[in-house]
Amino acid sequence: MKQLYTLSAAFTLATAALSVDAVAQNPLKGGMQYIGPAAGFYVLPIASLNSQIMQSGFSKGFDGNAMYIGLDRAKLSHVSQGKEFNAATLLTFHYLLPQTISDSSREMTLGGWNMQYDGSSFDFISSRKVVFTAGLGWTWGRTKIVSNDAAGETVYTNPYFIPMVRSELSFTLFERVTIGARAAYRHDWSKTGWRRKSGNGGDLPGTRLSGGMYGAFIAFTFGKADKEETVIDSPPPAAPGQE
């Protein structure tokens, strides 16, 4: 898990650096960036997990649509390097709202966190007011289950670092407010087992965290619109005595 936190910090710093470099290196026009709160759902494929939970005596399992709240930061830049296109980057942090199920003597809680980074999306609508992007990215994080029964507390974790494809549609209102919807699909190639971090509870079935994500956000743009650089040709200095 320390490695995941290290990767999270590294990607955060890389995104900040890329935001600065893009302005310095590319002739931009109409660039914008926004940050704001988001909410939505991750679709967790936990049928086998729920089956074992209910076989052990629980009347129901966890909801596969795990709700999240979080913070999104994105940047859209118009790039002109041989070909003109709009490039988009995205960095998010999402916190899964805990779900708790219980029976007469036991209780289990499912939660976790997720981060996404996408530095290779493209905008398909040439407009500052309407943005539609699609591209590839990475998502990483950790799901966690805490089980409490007569034997005590057992903690299980399932960390992951996996690729995703995503799309986004957003509208900018009043120059500074952006509202939009986002959808993604992630494919879990990481280890699927629940790791027992503490306690003596029984094993849980492996959970491959492939699945969709969908949600909405409201964000606020900052900074002025980037302008294309204008190059002014100046006459060469006159030779001495020819002023």
Side-chain angles (χ1 to χ4, degrees):
M1 189 50 57
K2 291 182 179 179
Q3 291 87 343
L4 285 176
Y5 283 113
T6 302
L7 287 169
S8 303
F11 272 112
T12 302
L13 293 174
T15 303
L18 288 172
S19 299
V20 174
D21 290 344
V23 174
Q25 297 173 2
N26 298 326
L28 308 175
K29 61 182 180 181
M32 67 176 184
Q33 48 192 334
Y34 65 73
I35 186 170
F41 295 88
Y42 283 97
V43 181
L44 303 180
I46 53 177
S48 59
L49 174 65
N50 282 338
S51 177
Q52 177 171 312
I53 288 173
M54 289 186 288
Q55 287 177 7
S56 69
F58 282 90
S59 60
K60 65 176 183 178
F62 295 111
D63 190 344
N65 290 319
M67 186 175 183
Y68 72 81
I69 57 174
L71 193 66
D72 295 353
R73 184 190 187 281
K75 180 177 178 64
L76 181 71
S77 303
H78 184 93
V79 181
S80 178
Q81 293 180 334
K83 295 182 179 180
E84 294 195 1
F85 59 92
N86 288 341
T89 61
L90 173 71
L91 179 68
T92 72
F93 176 81
H94 296 155
Y95 171 71
L96 297 182
L97 298 182
Q99 300 181 49
T100 299
I101 57 175
S102 60
D103 62 11
S104 58
S105 60
R106 296 174 299 167
E107 181 178 273
M108 298 183 76
T109 299
L110 170 67
W113 60 270
N114 180 83
M115 293 189 72
Q116 297 180 21
Y117 174 73
D118 175 6
S120 57
S121 277
F122 299 94
D123 179 29
F124 296 95
I125 300 177
S126 181
S127 170
R128 279 185 55 81
K129 300 295 184 182
V130 181
V131 172
F132 175 69
T133 63
L136 302 173
W138 291 92
T139 178
W140 67 99
R142 183 191 68 178
T143 48
K144 179 179 178 181
I145 291 177
V146 179
S147 174
N148 284 284
D149 55 25
E153 181 181 272
T154 304
V155 178
Y156 306 88
T157 61
N158 191 342
Y160 55 90
F161 185 90
I162 53 183
M164 69 171 183
V165 292
R166 77 168 189 96
S167 63
E168 175 185 314
L169 176 65
S170 65
F171 303 87
T172 299
L173 310 173
F174 314 114
E175 299 296 331
R176 294 292 180 182
V177 179
T178 299
I179 59 173
R182 184 176 296 123
Y185 177 81
R186 56 188 187 175
H187 186 74
D188 189 357
W189 288 331
S190 62
K191 294 180 180 180
T192 62
W194 288 94
R195 303 176 183 177
R196 189 187 299 106
K197 304 296 290 186
S198 63
N200 299 308
D203 293 336
L204 296 179
T207 302
R208 190 176 297 279
L209 294 172
S210 300
M213 182 278 288
Y214 57 95
F217 64 92
I218 178 169
F220 304 92
T221 62
F222 56 94
K224 296 181 179 180
D226 300 312
K227 304 295 183 182
E228 286 187 298
E229 296 179 356
T230 302
V231 178
I232 301 175
D233 294 327
S234 300
Q242 296 182 358
E243 292 87 348

